[in-house]
Amino acid sequence: MSTYTDTIRRWATDLRRSGPLEGADGTGEVGLGAGEIGRRLAVRFALRVRDGRAESVRFQVFGCGFTIAACAAAAALAEGIRLEEIPAVTATDVDAVLDGLPPERGYCADLAVAALQAAVASARGDAHAVQAAVNPREEDHAPRISADDPLYRALMAGSATDVPEADRRLFACLLCVAAQEGCEMAAALGLTPEDVAAILESCFPGADPELLVRHATPEAGPPPEHNKTVLGILLSHVPQEKDGRDLPASAWLARIIAARAAHPGHLWRAMGLFDRPELSRAIRRHLPSLAAANNKGMRWKRYLFKQVCEMGGGTVCKAPDCGVCSDYSLCFDTQE
């Protein structure tokens, strides 16, 4: 299972070399070609060359924390060295700076280096952006859970309940994806064991609690640590009952989103949902004020972390207004 080490987390939050570079002498890109924008991981590197050296190196990323960390490391390796020396920077070098990416995330270093080397080719040519041909793992865009999953089938085959069918599907997918991951199920969902028991009782009455144990992957370690500010933002949107208590399903979903947003890749996939729009529908049902706040339809993980960024007084966005940003399609999706 992918985990963020202290080293990777440190590089993923090192944004000193992130952002656009005005008047760049070379620009290299991955995942920004025709038909690719907004549909896959994307990286852009820009170089400013002075006296034959990469005086400034900047990167922009549409991807997970592992990709951000790899780009930050690649930029640090390249900045200040001679242009002809940059092709010697390899994915292995980036991996070494990060003290090792998880095996299933090694391609993040490949993406960073490919875009960096494309920027070198651009600088040696006419400064027009050069697209690098790299094919990251497209399975990162496919659902992790299907209706044929044995645990999903067992949960959905249970007794009738007053809970809407859409919510039964939602929580069945969440329980299934947590069962796959080799860590304690409640922790994987950002919940307590009592919360998981309550979900079973309300959505799947009569289900044997041992059902989850029988389908769980053997423990392999703790889940990634969630962002407490993201959790606070989500909890602030939980509706309350007349007596002032949080609506249980809404509070569960808020905590689950915060926990699953700590995983790399698309949030809807990390939640085990069948497709991206299902996440937006769930938020509209249970966190309506959050849905209203994201009134431009920004991708949910992008939106949440943008709020964190703005609360901290900084931003990694390239334009002050989304409507005029040339990377609009990286943050927004018409399917949302």
Side-chain angles (χ1 to χ4, degrees):
M1 181 177 66
S2 296
T3 54
Y4 289 97
T5 63
D6 289 341
T7 301
I8 292 172
R9 190 177 289 112
R10 185 171 65 251
W11 280 101
T13 56
D14 183 352
L15 303 178
R16 291 174 295 171
R17 298 179 180 88
S18 70
L21 183 61
E22 295 298 328
D25 297 302
T27 302
E29 299 175 341
V30 171
L32 291 169
E36 295 180 314
I37 295 178
R39 290 179 168 83
R40 55 178 291 186
L41 298 172
V43 174
R44 175 187 292 128
F45 267 81
L47 308 176
R48 178 177 293 125
V49 181
R50 292 293 181 271
D51 298 324
R53 294 182 180 275
E55 178 187 70
S56 299
V57 180
R58 296 291 182 270
F59 67 89
Q60 294 171 275
V61 177
F62 170 60
C64 63
F66 294 106
T67 311
I68 296 170
C71 289
L77 288 169
E79 193 166 75
I81 69 175
R82 297 194 65 79
L83 200 62
E84 62 265 25
E85 295 174 337
I86 295 178
V89 176
T90 67
T92 300
D93 297 325
V94 171
D95 189 70
V97 170
L98 299 177
D99 291 336
L101 286 161
E104 70 275 18
R105 294 290 165 182
Y107 67 90
C108 296
D110 295 331
L111 289 173
V113 170
L116 174 63
Q117 304 302 354
V120 172
S122 172
R124 286 174 168 172
D126 57 8
H128 283 87
V130 172
Q131 296 288 329
V134 176
N135 295 310
R137 301 178 185 184
E138 295 300 334
E139 63 265 29
D140 282 350
H141 296 261
R144 292 177 56 182
I145 301 298
S146 76
D148 293 327
D149 182 275
L151 176 56
Y152 181 88
R153 290 203 314 268
L155 289 169
M156 296 301 291
S159 305
T161 173
D162 293 335
V163 173
E165 190 73 1
D167 281 346
R168 295 186 73 235
R169 291 197 303 270
L170 169 68
F171 286 107
C173 287
L174 288 163
L175 292 172
C176 288
V177 80
Q180 290 182 353
E181 292 185 344
C183 56
E184 198 272 323
M185 179 170 290
L189 296 175
L191 302 176
T192 65
E194 292 75 19
D195 290 330
V196 174
I199 290 173
L200 281 176
E201 183 178 353
S202 63
C203 297
F204 314 105
D208 181 358
E210 289 299 308
L211 181 67
L212 302 182
V213 177
R214 289 197 298 271
H215 287 85
T217 301
E219 286 199 29
E225 184 178 353
H226 68 266
N227 185 294
K228 292 180 175 58
T229 306
V230 167
L231 176 59
I233 292 169
L234 287 158
L235 290 176
S236 73
H237 289 281
V238 172
Q240 295 185 328
E241 300 186 72
K242 291 182 179 179
D243 60 5
R245 291 183 298 174
D246 289 343
L247 288 174
S250 298
W252 294 334
L253 182 61
R255 293 185 180 280
I256 289 168
I257 290 174
R260 305 311 294 179
H263 289 257
H266 297 297
L267 179 56
W268 67 272
R269 286 194 75 250
M271 294 176 67
L273 305 182
F274 295 155
D275 55 37
R276 187 192 302 277
E278 192 170 356
L279 174 57
S280 291
R281 291 193 292 268
I283 290 173
R284 284 194 291 269
R285 290 196 306 275
H286 294 288
L287 304 169
S289 63
L290 177 62
N294 185 14
N295 58 8
K296 301 298 184 183
M298 181 175 277
R299 295 172 189 263
W300 282 108
K301 185 189 283 191
R302 200 82 164 177
Y303 175 79
L304 291 168
F305 282 97
K306 188 172 188 291
Q307 305 312 300
V308 173
C309 187
E310 291 176 349
M311 289 171 67
T315 179
V316 298
C317 295
K318 65 181 292 186
D321 180 1
C322 294
V324 300
C325 182
S326 61
D327 285 344
Y328 183 90
S329 58
L330 297 181
C331 294
F332 296 85
D333 193 310
T334 56
Q335 294 186 59
E336 288 278 30

